[in-house]
Amino acid sequence: MAGDDRRRHSRPPPSSKPPRSRYAAEREERKERGTPEKKHRSRRREDSAEVEDGRERTPQKRTRSPERTQQKRKRNSERTPQKRTRSPVRTPQKRTGSPERRLRREEAVVQHEDEEDARGESESEESLPPPTERTPKNPTRRRSPERKSKARTVVEEKHWSGSSGSTLSSGNPLSLDALAKLDAINEKTDGHGGFQEREKIERVYSEKRTTREKVVTGRVDKGKPKHRRRNDGKSERRRVSGPLLEEGRGPRRYRGGYASADESDEGERRWFKKKKWIALGILLLLIVIVVAAVVASKKKSSGGGGSAGSTGSGGDPSNSNLNGISESDIPTAAKNTILDPFTWYDTTDFNVTYTNTTFGGLPIMGLNSTWNDTVKANQYVPELDKPWAYGQMPIRGINLGGWLSIEPFITPSLFNTYKSNQGIIDEWTLSKQLGPSTAAKTIEKHYSQFITEADFVAIQAAGFDHVRIPYSYWAVTTYPGDPYVPKISWRYLLRGIEYARKYGLRVNLDLHGLPGSQNGWNHSGRQGTISWLNGTDGQLNAQRSLDLHTQLSTFFAQPRYKNVITIYGLVNEPKMTELSISDVVAWTTSATQIVRKSGMNQTVAFGDGFLGLAKWQGQLQGVEGLVLDAHEYTIFDANLIVMNHTAKASYACEGWTGQMKASLDTTTGFGPTLCGEWSQADTDCTTYLNDVGAGTRWEGTLRSTDRSPSVLTPSCPSKSSACSCSDANADPSSYSDTYKQWLLTNAEAQMSSFETAWGWFYWTWTTESATQWDWKAGMANGILPTKVWNRDFNCTSNLPSFSGLSENY
């Protein structure tokens, strides 16, 4: 085999005359007979003859003698027609490409023929397929004898360039292994497999050529070759052996090459869709990043103090004071707790420097270390660091109802999105419905926005000198089974106290909701059964309440609170009409002792429990520093709501003035007395006032509730079907002048009456829509005084007649 290789690749001496092969006679014979000779006749038999003879020929243009042509024609005429398959390396269609590529293809054709000659020298002529069965050649592949000779000469010169005696190597256009594989393919597919493989190769070459043309003309950008990841993690270009490429089994690539129109369009569509999804994914990722950045910036953006950071307009707070600290400054144990300012919705006017210092187990986190008690609310009252002469100087105060203890009629928007069958009627059911996370976000946002520093500014401007701040026990702690948002309101309570101090307002702390609910009404947190001093858990909840006061009084006994917190409330509105009076009195005594033991010397307030002021005569006489807190309304009493407008204003002056004076006298009442709640409203028409969906006494639609028994007949003065809430609930701009005058007079009469005792606290400063319970809205609409001391009426004056006012509105 080695000798054959040497003969095939050795250049013959120029002077050597090639022997006449056995096929030469055939060609001469065909020429004599006039049989046309095919231009692309394989040279393998002639080459084989040359090798057999041992002589070498110099590559040159081949011409046939007439004799050889005639012989060949004769031999062809004697053959039996038989289909002949094309060589798998022949191109089935017109090929275009660079000269280098054409040269390589010609080289591959010749080399393939040479290899076949080496294997098939001994083949008989009968083994060749008959000419009639040979696959017709593509006319477009025909070349002139000159072009054919020139191409073969170039190829042969390239073949002869190797040194004499060299063996076949991988550098040859087709290796022995590649030809063996090619033969195997042809055997399996009857010769058609190679033809199909060759078509693929040609299509790839055509695609690459077209793409290069587009690149040159600037119509497309040539893509970079694909890469793949090796096992060692390094990127390398995909490599395919030369024989595989020549057999058409290389990878199909469109990037950097040309694809047919259909394939290219399909590939481009797939790539376009892929790019769209990639772009969409990037866009969504950017949105998430931007949202996260905005949230973070809001938490860390600047602001600073005072009203600049107020959220009274309903916008989110800036939280700029977080800029000066880092989240890494917060200890791991405190992260995501109430001591982590980065979890707060609002940091405005809070000290965000971390501290775990507590008093009575309650944190001071959020408090500034300095304060100023030299401020006074107005020119008629003393500075905070001067004593207030209670009983001689009347309290003119305002409640901040519905803020830290949520009430449906004050903020109906928190409740009116639910269906009646869902039973969302109080803070308990609201928190349970929302779930811990959503409830915390929703309710803290309410804390932040419902009452802000701007409200304290307006309260001072209206002439008030005290604020009563209702809050509930979950500001301090919660118990197993409680759905309330725990401890967040504590921070807002402390900030509210500091706002009051800033504007010279004294504070009445009002514990509005106790464990188990002290009255079963929605403003206690949970509407329904009273479980404070009552039922199975009555004593447990009573003790929990005392424990709360131990913590609260210890905390507020700090020196910073002795001037600003001047009244300390034990419990709001215990329903003593259903509770044991002796139990409530005993509990009140114990709670007062705890407060005093903690070091608080402030006045302690306790509720009258709806017993009537006269019932407290002689009670709790041995306890110092108490004040009786009475809440006076005409609309929740079936005997008062039916009075006409003139009678109601008269009752405010005569009835309540008499009661207040009697309560101040220890021979007829308890002693120190104030009115902790009252309103100018003359109907119970306000939405949700009598519990969510309960109806009204005014129209006779009140079904039985925990607040009162059913009232199913109209209770307006006319007691007829003409009783309507539409006018009472109308926008105040539609009120008649007479009605506005009555509302103002009724309010001033009550203020005058309650000031015969210690004074009063109006219920309440602001609401969402209940104008007749909203001092701010009433003042803006002319039905309440713009200054609490600027009043046109008091109970020493003659009461105007309101006989022309409708009693059915």
Side-chain angles (χ1 to χ4, degrees):
M1 197 57 197
D4 293 339
D5 292 339
R6 284 195 296 272
R7 286 194 299 273
R8 185 178 296 112
H9 294 281
S10 299
R11 182 184 294 275
S15 59
S16 297
K17 182 176 181 180
R20 184 177 181 184
S21 68
R22 60 181 177 179
Y23 295 103
E26 294 177 356
R27 287 195 294 272
E28 291 175 357
E29 182 179 351
R30 282 197 301 272
K31 187 173 181 181
E32 293 174 357
R33 294 180 180 181
T35 302
E37 181 175 336
K38 297 183 179 180
K39 294 183 179 181
H40 290 284
R41 177 72 179 181
S42 173
R43 297 177 60 243
R44 60 187 179 185
R45 292 171 180 78
E46 296 177 1
D47 293 340
S48 299
E50 293 168 7
V51 173
E52 286 178 353
D53 190 72
R55 289 179 294 180
E56 297 173 324
R57 300 177 62 183
T58 302
Q60 60 184 358
K61 183 175 181 180
R62 296 284 303 276
T63 58
R64 292 192 180 96
S65 65
E67 295 80 5
R68 291 179 61 190
T69 302
Q70 187 67 25
Q71 291 176 0
K72 185 174 182 179
R73 289 175 179 173
K74 181 179 180 180
R75 184 169 57 252
N76 288 343
S77 64
E78 295 174 356
R79 290 179 180 171
T80 303
Q82 179 177 332
K83 184 176 181 180
R84 181 174 180 180
T85 58
R86 290 184 180 182
S87 171
V89 298
R90 298 300 300 270
T91 305
Q93 60 184 5
K94 183 176 181 179
R95 292 289 304 279
T96 59
S98 63
E100 294 78 4
R101 282 208 173 102
R102 289 198 299 271
L103 179 62
R104 286 198 297 271
R105 287 199 300 271
E106 292 289 348
E107 182 180 350
V109 171
V110 174
Q111 180 66 21
H112 178 61
E113 292 175 354
D114 292 343
E115 295 289 4
E116 282 190 347
D117 290 342
R119 292 194 304 271
E121 289 180 0
S122 61
E123 286 183 352
S124 64
E125 186 173 330
E126 290 74 15
S127 64
L128 294 174
T132 57
E133 296 185 10
R134 295 175 187 172
T135 303
K137 293 181 172 54
N138 193 329
T140 59
R141 289 284 297 144
R142 295 188 178 183
R143 302 184 197 149
S144 64
E146 291 77 14
R147 288 182 62 192
K148 177 180 175 183
S149 176
K150 182 178 180 180
R152 293 179 63 85
T153 301
V154 173
V155 172
E156 289 175 354
E157 288 179 351
K158 186 171 182 179
H159 275 281
W160 293 123
S161 62
S163 60
S164 177
S166 66
T167 60
L168 292 171
S169 67
S170 61
N172 291 331
L174 278 176
S175 65
L176 293 177
D177 291 341
L179 289 173
K181 291 179 181 179
L182 187 61
D183 290 339
I185 292 173
N186 287 332
E187 290 177 1
K188 291 181 180 180
T189 61
D190 295 330
H192 294 290
F195 179 79
Q196 294 171 354
E197 292 292 320
R198 187 61 187 174
E199 283 185 322
K200 294 181 182 180
I201 298 174
E202 291 172 350
R203 184 165 56 250
V204 172
Y205 284 147
S206 177
E207 291 166 357
K208 291 183 178 180
R209 178 189 62 78
T210 305
T211 300
R212 282 197 305 274
E213 292 175 354
K214 291 183 178 180
V215 170
V216 171
T217 59
R219 286 181 289 155
V220 297
D221 293 330
K222 186 173 182 181
K224 294 181 180 180
K226 291 184 179 179
H227 288 68
R228 64 175 177 177
R229 184 68 58 183
R230 297 190 305 187
N231 292 337
D232 59 1
K234 298 180 180 179
S235 177
E236 73 171 351
R237 298 184 185 275
R238 187 177 179 90
R239 296 171 183 169
V240 182
S241 66
L244 287 178
L245 288 174
E246 291 173 313
E247 293 175 27
R249 289 185 282 143
R252 293 182 70 180
R253 293 182 182 177
Y254 295 142
R255 294 185 64 185
Y258 171 74
S260 64
D262 293 339
E263 292 172 315
S264 179
D265 290 345
E266 182 181 356
E268 289 179 1
R269 285 195 297 269
R270 287 198 301 268
W271 177 236
F272 180 71
K273 291 179 180 179
K274 183 176 180 181
K275 287 196 291 186
K276 284 200 304 185
W277 285 111
I278 293 173
L280 180 60
I282 294 173
L283 179 61
L284 292 176
L285 179 61
L286 289 175
I287 291 173
V288 171
I289 293 172
V290 169
V291 171
V294 169
V295 172
S297 65
K298 285 182 178 179
K299 288 291 183 185
K300 299 181 179 180
S301 58
S302 39
S307 58
S310 176
T311 59
S313 61
D316 291 336
S318 62
N319 296 338
S320 59
N321 50 347
L322 284 173
N323 285 344
I325 65 172
S326 170
E327 293 188 56
S328 60
D329 296 337
I330 310 301
T332 302
K335 289 184 181 298
N336 298 316
T337 70
I338 59 168
L339 301 182
D340 182 356
F342 291 94
T343 66
W344 300 354
Y345 170 74
D346 185 0
T347 64
T348 305
D349 294 330
F350 286 116
N351 180 2
V352 292
T353 302
Y354 171 79
T355 178
N356 60 358
T357 302
T358 62
F359 285 90
L362 299 175
I364 67 169
M365 179 67 184
L367 286 174
N368 292 303
S369 59
T370 60
W371 65 87
N372 178 19
D373 286 348
T374 64
V375 185
K376 60 181 179 180
N378 55 68
Q379 65 270 30
Y380 302 110
V381 299
E383 292 82 357
L384 292 176
D385 57 358
K386 303 293 191 299
W388 186 282
Y390 289 110
Q392 301 175 22
M393 181 180 295
I395 298 169
R396 292 165 177 163
I398 190 74
N399 279 277
L400 301 181
W403 179 32
L404 304 181
S405 295
I406 295 174
E407 293 195 40
F409 93 90
I410 297 175
T411 55
S413 65
L414 294 174
F415 297 87
N416 57 20
T417 59
Y418 302 101
K419 297 179 180 179
S420 58
N421 60 4
Q422 291 180 275
I424 311 303
I425 56 176
D426 51 27
E427 194 164 344
W428 175 286
T429 54
L430 176 65
S431 300
K432 195 170 184 179
Q433 172 71 25
L434 294 175
S437 178
T438 304
K441 294 177 183 177
T442 302
I443 294 177
E444 184 180 0
K445 188 172 184 178
H446 162 76
Y447 294 155
S448 171
Q449 296 182 351
F450 190 69
I451 296 292
T452 69
E453 183 181 4
D455 293 295
F456 286 87
V457 173
I459 288 169
Q460 184 203 45
F464 291 103
D465 44 55
H466 282 66
V467 291
R468 183 171 181 254
I469 306 180
Y471 67 104
S472 300
Y473 75 83
W474 47 92
V476 176
T477 190
T478 53
Y479 304 101
D482 282 353
Y484 301 118
V485 175
K487 302 180 181 180
I488 292 179
S489 60
W490 174 253
R491 182 168 68 250
Y492 290 90
L493 173 62
L494 299 185
R495 187 175 72 173
I497 294 171
E498 296 306 316
Y499 283 152
R501 184 202 307 275
K502 184 175 181 179
Y503 298 100
L505 302 168
R506 288 167 171 83
V507 174
N508 176 358
L509 276 183
D510 167 41
L511 187 53
H512 219 62
L514 289 182
S517 177
Q518 71 279 10
N519 53 36
W521 295 334
N522 57 30
H523 60 246
S524 71
R526 188 174 190 182
Q527 181 178 317
T529 304
I530 301 174
S531 297
W532 179 76
L533 294 177
N534 186 54
T536 304
D537 295 328
Q539 291 305 312
L540 172 63
N541 288 323
Q543 184 58 50
R544 286 173 172 173
S545 301
L546 294 176
D547 294 341
L548 285 168
H549 280 299
T550 299
Q551 290 185 274
L552 289 165
S553 59
T554 301
F555 187 91
F556 291 117
Q558 296 179 72
R560 69 181 297 149
Y561 295 113
K562 69 177 182 179
N563 295 323
V564 66
I565 297 177
T566 57
I567 301 175
Y568 181 92
L570 297 178
V571 55
N572 174 69
E573 295 184 350
K575 196 174 183 181
M576 295 177 70
T577 55
E578 295 185 16
L579 295 171
S580 167
I581 295 176
S582 60
D583 287 347
V584 174
V585 170
W587 182 89
T588 301
T589 302
S590 298
T592 304
Q593 291 172 348
I594 288 172
V595 172
R596 295 288 182 246
K597 185 177 180 180
S598 297
M600 287 194 72
N601 296 317
Q602 289 91 331
T603 299
V604 174
F606 70 97
D608 72 343
F610 308 101
L611 296 177
L613 296 180
K615 294 289 183 72
W616 286 96
Q617 196 276 327
Q619 299 285 350
L620 299 171
Q621 295 300 306
V623 182
E624 296 293 329
L626 296 180
V627 61
L628 179 61
D629 182 2
H631 297 174
E632 306 291 4
Y633 298 104
T634 61
I635 59 174
F636 299 119
D637 189 315
N639 297 318
L640 298 178
I641 194 172
V642 298
M643 294 191 300
N644 63 34
H645 292 93
T646 302
K648 285 177 183 174
S650 178
Y651 181 81
C653 282
E654 297 175 4
W656 282 329
T657 298
Q659 293 176 29
M660 289 294 162
K661 289 180 178 180
S663 185
L664 288 173
D665 188 348
T666 56
T667 62
T668 55
F670 169 76
T673 305
L674 61 80
C675 178
E677 293 183 19
W678 67 277
S679 169
Q680 70 175 168
D682 66 326
T683 73
D684 65 341
C685 288
T686 298
T687 302
Y688 298 161
L689 181 64
N690 298 310
D691 302 330
V692 176
T696 68
R697 298 173 183 83
W698 189 263
E699 294 181 325
T701 59
L702 180 66
R703 52 187 178 79
S704 180
T705 68
D706 298 307
R707 186 181 295 274
S708 63
S710 297
V711 179
L712 302 179
T713 58
S715 296
C716 72
S718 67
K719 295 186 178 181
S720 68
S721 60
C723 299
S724 172
C725 285
S726 59
D727 290 335
N729 289 337
D731 188 277
S733 62
S734 66
Y735 291 170
S736 67
D737 292 340
T738 305
Y739 187 42
K740 286 185 176 181
Q741 183 61 41
W742 182 85
L743 288 170
L744 179 60
T745 300
N746 185 47
E748 292 176 345
Q750 293 182 75
M751 288 185 268
S752 177
S753 176
F754 301 141
E755 286 180 12
T756 59
W758 274 31
W760 51 268
F761 292 86
Y762 186 81
W763 188 271
T764 181
W765 168 247
T766 187
T767 69
E768 289 181 346
S769 56
T771 302
Q772 294 184 16
W773 296 83
D774 187 324
W775 185 282
K776 183 167 64 173
M779 184 171 57
N781 287 281
I783 57 177
L784 284 171
T786 55
K787 293 285 188 181
V788 296
W789 58 79
N790 285 339
R791 304 196 294 257
D792 295 330
F793 177 82
N794 61 61
C795 288
T796 62
S797 305
N798 293 325
L799 184 66
S801 174
F802 299 101
S803 58
L805 191 60
S806 172
E807 302 294 344
N808 302 317
Y809 57 90

